[in-house]
Amino acid sequence: MDILIGLLIIAVGAFCQSSCYVPINKIKGWSWESYWLVQGVFAWLVFPLLGALLAVPAGHSLGELFVAGNGFNVAMTVLFGVLWGVGGLTFGLSMRYLGVALGQSIALGTCAAGGTLLGPLLLNLFFPEMGALESLTFAVISGVVVTLLGIAVIGVAGMMKANSLPEEQKKAAVKEFNFPKGIAIALLAGVMSGCFNVGLEFGKDINFGELTDPMFKTLPATLLVTLGGFLTNAVYCLYQNFKNKSFGDYAQGKLWANNALFCALAGALWYSQFFGLSLGKGFLTESPTLMTLSFCILMALNVTFANVWGIVLKEWKGCSRKTIAVLVLGICILVASSFLPELLK
């Protein structure tokens, strides 16, 4: 029963993340770099900080935790957050050229596999005595393979869409639709975004041990990763503000109430995926296989709900029944990938 509860919590977080780009459509009068930076303040600083505070027992502080002999792990967690930030930037571009459904599918699928496998591999490189590679069991590898299969099937549906619709119809759903360019960016975004889970692996012991509730143990590491990601995004967005002369966006006082509200909502929805991941893992402690695969499961469910939003937003409008059937098959495979590893262990 605990495992089912844990998976449901992760699923709720995935649904929230897949919905986070909807509020962005309500932002008015700001360039991309301006609203991306402001929503990042909420998504990568404010809400992660509030979440991390839940892991701090009475009489202690976050500062105490980050300087308590964890210097190397803290630095590595932030470093991989910086690398993940590159994925975050290109992630947004992948949806710009492919749409919410296909962009998230390709990027998050690559992220799911890379993040799950790279964490134990790099941990083993730095700390071989931890035996991190032991977590990559047959069941775990099978779960990753099935996830990639589901992503590949959805990718086929995307190619069928790109080949079947006239250019005008593709542009109607996604204004800047560009399949080759979008695929290249989405793959880069996925590889770099996988660094998020690598950062979580390096930071998994940055907590107060038994004093921290198991459901909140990964939240301090999440804050460190998102802090690193914020640094990458802030540098790029401020550079774009300078290049495009868009600093004036921040001076439009009449727009701040509306835009800050929807940026905060987008940030809260985005952070919900990792808050839900932490809470969900607290219920998966009896299954080492699902603990290792939890990040992969989250990404697979993100893709599932992203495609649901893609259907709602009419990104697949005009496609043949065959294309839709392939899309649905891919979604079903992704859902199955969340449960299959537990059956194989």
Side-chain angles (χ1 to χ4, degrees):
M1 187 62 182
D2 281 354
I3 288 178
L4 180 58
I5 293 173
L7 291 175
L8 286 174
I9 292 174
I10 293 175
V12 171
F15 175 76
C16 291
Q17 187 280 336
S18 300
S19 308
C20 73
Y21 291 92
V22 177
I24 286 179
N25 293 328
K26 300 294 185 179
I27 295 173
K28 303 175 181 178
W30 280 2
S31 59
W32 176 88
E33 58 269 19
S34 299
Y35 72 68
W36 191 253
L37 179 59
V38 175
Q39 71 84 30
V41 170
F42 291 103
W44 307 321
L45 293 182
V46 175
F47 292 113
L49 175 60
L50 295 175
L53 290 175
L54 293 174
V56 180
H60 297 273
S61 68
L62 274 177
E64 171 191 343
L65 180 61
F66 294 151
V67 299
N70 295 317
F72 178 77
N73 284 7
V74 168
M76 293 298 288
T77 304
V78 175
L79 171 62
F80 279 101
V82 170
L83 296 176
W84 161 75
V86 176
L89 285 170
T90 48
F91 186 74
L93 288 175
S94 70
M95 284 179 288
R96 180 175 175 179
Y97 295 119
L98 295 177
V100 172
L102 188 55
Q104 288 206 56
S105 297
I106 303 302
L108 292 178
T110 310
C111 175
T116 300
L117 300 178
L118 282 176
L121 289 172
L122 290 176
L123 269 183
N124 184 72
L125 179 64
F126 287 95
F127 306 107
E129 69 280 3
M130 292 178 61
L133 291 181
E134 295 176 6
S135 65
L136 298 180
T137 62
F138 173 76
V140 169
I141 300 298
S142 298
V144 172
V145 170
V146 173
T147 299
L148 289 176
L149 175 61
I151 299 300
V153 172
I154 290 176
V156 169
M159 287 188 288
M160 293 170 68
K161 169 188 175 182
N163 293 332
S164 65
L165 296 181
E167 198 65 25
E168 305 76 41
Q169 199 163 348
K170 285 184 282 190
K171 299 289 186 183
V174 183
K175 293 181 180 179
E176 299 180 69
F177 187 85
N178 186 319
F179 189 73
K181 186 175 183 179
I183 286 294
I185 293 175
L187 289 174
L188 173 63
V191 171
M192 299 306 292
S193 294
C195 290
F196 198 108
N197 196 47
V198 180
L200 291 183
E201 286 292 315
F202 273 98
K204 64 183 179 181
D205 293 327
I206 302 177
N207 53 64
F208 289 93
E210 294 182 358
L211 296 178
T212 299
D213 189 305
M215 293 193 297
F216 303 141
K217 280 192 172 181
T218 65
L219 294 179
T222 301
L223 170 62
L224 292 174
V225 176
T226 57
L227 172 62
F230 176 78
L231 295 176
T232 305
N233 281 263
V235 168
Y236 180 79
C237 288
L238 291 174
Y239 166 73
Q240 289 297 315
N241 280 141
F242 174 78
K243 178 183 176 182
N244 299 328
K245 296 180 171 57
S246 56
F247 278 111
D249 290 346
Y250 306 117
Q252 299 180 47
K254 293 182 179 180
L255 298 178
W256 262 101
N258 177 82
N259 291 357
L261 172 63
F262 287 110
C263 281
L265 180 56
L269 289 171
W270 183 91
Y271 177 65
S272 294
Q273 65 179 313
F274 292 110
F275 187 74
L277 178 64
S278 182
L279 267 60
K281 289 173 73 172
F283 289 90
L284 301 179
T285 53
E286 298 301 316
S287 175
T289 297
L290 290 182
M291 286 287 285
T292 302
L293 263 178
S294 57
F295 183 81
C296 188
I297 292 171
L298 173 64
M299 295 301 112
L301 292 173
N302 280 347
V303 172
T304 300
F305 290 121
N307 280 283
V308 172
W309 272 115
I311 294 171
V312 172
L313 296 175
K314 299 181 180 180
E315 292 179 0
W316 295 91
K317 183 179 179 180
C319 293
S320 67
R321 290 185 177 180
K322 184 177 180 181
T323 300
I324 298 301
V326 173
L327 172 65
V328 172
L329 174 61
I331 291 175
C332 291
I333 293 174
L334 287 178
V335 173
S337 73
S338 300
F339 300 95
L340 181 63
E342 185 65 15
L343 300 176
L344 293 176
K345 70 175 185 177

